[in-house]
Amino acid sequence: MADSVRLTTPLTDDVIEGLTIGTHVTFSGVIYTARDAAHKRMIELMKRGEPLPIDLRGQVIYYVGPTPPRPGAVIGSAGPTTAMRLDPYTIPMLEAGLKGIIGKGGRGPAIREAIKQHHAVYCIAVGGTGALLNRHIKSAEVVAFEDLGTEAIRRLEVEDFPAIVVNDCHGGDLLEAGKRQYRTSSRPIPAVQSLGG
Amino acid sequence: MREVPAELITETVARLAIEATHFLPEDVEGAIRAARQTERSPLAVQIIDEILENAQVARERMLPLCQDTGTAVVILEIGQDVHITGGYVIDAVNEGIRRGYSEGYLRKSIAARPFSARVNTGDNTPGVIHTEIVPGDRIKVMFMPKGGGCENMSRYQNFLPGMGKQAVIDFVCETVDMSGGNPCPPLVIGVGVGGTAEKAMTMAKHALFRKIGERSPDPEVAELEQELLQAVNELGVGPQAVGGSTTALDVFVETYPTHITALPVAVNIQCHSARTKQAVI
């Protein structure tokens, strides 16, 4: 494995400043899980002016809905889900102090801009490697919305959880840069990742 | 008339659900391994290594390859000389899904009411179940735990009848380009050309059951598959869309005669965790 930058949570501004696209990083410390349903509820709480179940300042959210653990296990398979589905919810989360996001796939232009503006970072873990990523999760505890099952908010303690920086606080976008670098096709590049889901 | 108990269908589906979600098919793993040798991006090679290591960990520790253990797509090819006894075949399949997803500690990902109360059904049923009547006295059970990330990138369009092959190539390339990292490349791409809208998409899904490298028996279609694979891999999307020369492992095309006014094209994408498993009863 190439050299990677070891990050510990919560993330600080100066650490984020040093991260650039394509950098392999590892996360150690506490991160929180949240997907579509949990985000929807958090946004509703914000709209009503009610407190969130977690303090997002400096925190990292991992977009994941794990498989159930086998008896005695901490968690099941736990790889990232498509980040773009969370785009409609992401700006208020950044406004509430969220600093890091782990998902898969790209983000829309508005989110890329918001990540820059809020001095945050978006990383991908390798989609479809939930068994491998399981080994980096040392504990898991549901902290909110238990009724959502796999979509509940979980507090995870992770160790050397691997990820790659896709959108940095300088406005860089790895997926766009990567496609340009390795494209041998003469086809014009369409609006990046304009298919939803 | 050969009799097959419904319970046997249930047991088979339950077993296939667990096997498909834990063991990456050999042909898929082999294709990923081969791609590692040709991939030009060092970052993409690192991703490929993680994918290969994941397959090993999943196998050895009995952890699902991916947390998205999918919609249970089941295709039954039922011989016309088979008589299923002791229950309704669709109930038997759903019971198999229920059992497999519970006993295998798989994720239950089905929301009951799609546009309103998206309450989880709790057991991953109902599956999406297709039945086909075929000659013979056997039942072929084809199981695919289909992940949301790739399924959501499916696309259908009808083209003008005279637009021909180029329309197919352009549409497939555009779909892959626009999907980016969402469907988890490197991909396996199913394409249905002809028939009607639903026929085209069903063919695209069906094509995903082929083994990597298995070309269409029709030389013209086989040639299109090779052209598509090359065109897609020139896009530079790469593994997880970080950029690279490995965007797809293979492209499978199925065709069917179509109306004189139509050129239906459907694309159904499969992620690198191209999980399928089949059994014959």
Side-chain angles (χ1 to χ4, degrees):
Chain A
M1 189 176 285
D3 290 345
S4 61
V5 176
R6 193 168 192 277
L7 304 175
T8 53
T9 60
L11 299 178
T12 59
D13 276 349
D14 55 326
V15 165
I16 289 170
E17 183 74 25
L19 298 175
T20 52
I21 58 167
T23 304
H24 197 279
V25 296
T26 63
F27 288 89
S28 296
V30 169
I31 63 175
Y32 291 94
T33 75
R35 292 175 41 114
D36 311 55
H39 274 78
K40 194 166 178 232
R41 285 199 191 171
M42 283 193 281
I43 300 298
E44 282 163 6
L45 288 172
M46 285 184 196
K47 278 183 185 158
R48 293 201 299 265
E50 292 174 27
L52 295 179
I54 49 176
D55 183 352
L56 290 173
R57 284 173 297 178
Q59 298 301 333
V60 174
I61 283 189
Y62 179 25
Y63 298 153
V64 59
T67 60
R70 284 183 179 271
V74 166
I75 198 167
S77 187
T81 194
T82 306
M84 194 170 279
R85 283 201 325 273
L86 285 309
D87 277 14
Y89 306 118
T90 301
I91 290 175
M93 305 293 284
L94 292 168
E95 285 168 353
L98 181 69
K99 282 293 178 185
I101 301 169
I102 306 168
K104 75 173 169 82
R107 310 303 305 246
I111 303 307
R112 284 185 240 166
E113 185 53 37
I115 283 166
K116 183 181 170 188
Q117 195 191 327
H118 292 279
H119 207 80
V121 64
Y122 167 64
C123 300
I124 58 166
V126 177
T129 63
L132 188 62
L133 293 169
N134 162 290
R135 298 197 298 193
H136 299 279
I137 301 171
K138 300 301 166 190
S139 76
E141 177 197 357
V142 172
V143 291
F145 312 144
E146 190 159 15
D147 60 299
L148 294 178
T150 187
E151 295 210 54
I153 297 180
R154 287 174 171 79
R155 178 185 189 275
L156 306 182
E157 279 181 277
V158 295
E159 204 175 282
D160 298 324
F161 186 97
I164 300 161
V165 177
V166 163
N167 293 114
D168 59 28
C169 69
H170 314 289
D173 184 273
L174 174 65
L175 305 196
E176 201 172 288
K179 190 184 271 191
R180 282 185 204 288
Q181 187 179 351
Y182 290 97
R183 197 174 183 91
T184 54
S185 172
S186 57
R187 291 169 189 277
I189 296 180
V192 181
Q193 301 221 341
S194 48
L195 285 184
Chain B
M1 191 64 93
R2 176 169 170 259
E3 293 202 339
V4 172
E7 173 59 24
L8 186 54
I9 296 172
T10 296
E11 283 169 18
T12 304
V13 169
R15 174 172 63 81
L16 294 182
I18 294 171
E19 289 179 2
T21 49
H22 288 77
F23 307 117
L24 193 63
E26 275 176 32
D27 59 304
V28 177
E29 193 168 337
I32 296 170
R33 213 173 284 286
R36 191 191 186 285
Q37 305 307 316
T38 53
E39 175 54 57
R40 294 194 292 127
S41 155
L43 185 56
V45 168
Q46 197 174 320
I47 288 171
I48 288 172
D49 284 342
E50 288 184 34
I51 290 171
L52 291 169
E53 196 184 343
N54 183 68
Q56 191 185 340
V57 172
R59 197 162 45 224
E60 290 173 359
R61 298 184 48 198
M62 275 312 275
L63 272 164
L65 287 152
C66 177
Q67 77 291 336
D68 188 353
T69 50
T71 297
V73 176
V74 181
I75 301 175
L76 295 178
E77 291 181 357
I78 305 173
Q80 65 178 2
D81 297 326
V82 174
H83 177 212
I84 296 162
T85 59
Y88 176 44
V89 60
I90 301 299
D91 293 343
V93 171
N94 279 322
E95 180 55 29
I97 293 167
R98 194 172 288 125
R99 216 180 274 178
Y101 276 71
S102 166
E103 289 171 5
Y105 296 91
L106 307 181
R107 197 179 80 184
K108 290 80 181 172
S109 311
I110 302 301
R113 301 186 70 81
F115 70 85
S116 49
R118 294 183 60 92
V119 178
N120 198 302
T121 62
D123 58 9
N124 220 52
T125 68
V128 172
I129 304 163
H130 305 273
T131 55
E132 292 166 30
I133 303 298
V134 298
D137 64 357
R138 296 277 182 261
I139 300 175
K140 187 172 179 188
V141 185
M142 303 160 75
F143 190 94
M144 175 189 287
K146 189 63 160 62
C150 55
E151 183 64 16
N152 292 343
M153 298 299 111
S154 306
R155 240 170 136 218
Y156 170 82
Q157 197 170 321
N158 182 56
F159 292 92
L160 296 176
M163 290 173 78
K165 185 170 166 175
Q166 197 56 46
V168 179
I169 297 173
D170 290 347
F171 187 61
V172 171
C173 284
E174 189 185 75
T175 303
V176 172
D177 237 349
M178 289 181 5
S179 302
N182 295 8
C184 275
L187 310 170
V188 179
I189 303 169
V191 184
V193 184
T196 51
E198 90 285 8
K199 177 68 180 172
M201 194 56 84
T202 306
M203 288 192 293
K205 179 67 101 275
H206 201 276
L208 295 174
F209 280 94
R210 266 200 243 159
K211 292 218 178 301
I212 306 293
E214 185 185 335
R215 294 276 65 81
S216 166
D218 181 325
E220 195 178 59
V221 178
E223 189 184 305
L224 174 60
E225 289 173 344
Q226 270 157 336
E227 278 179 60
L228 280 168
L229 181 60
Q230 189 183 337
V232 164
N233 280 331
E234 285 173 357
L235 296 175
V237 174
Q240 299 296 303
V242 300
S245 46
T246 316
T247 300
L249 302 172
D250 212 342
V251 183
F252 301 125
V253 180
E254 288 193 13
T255 67
Y256 196 79
T258 193
H259 194 272
I260 49 175
T261 59
L263 176 54
V265 183
V267 182
N268 199 262
I269 295 179
Q270 177 66 287
C271 58
H272 63 75
S273 200
R275 298 157 290 175
T276 60
K277 190 83 187 174
Q278 309 181 21
V280 176
I281 300 175

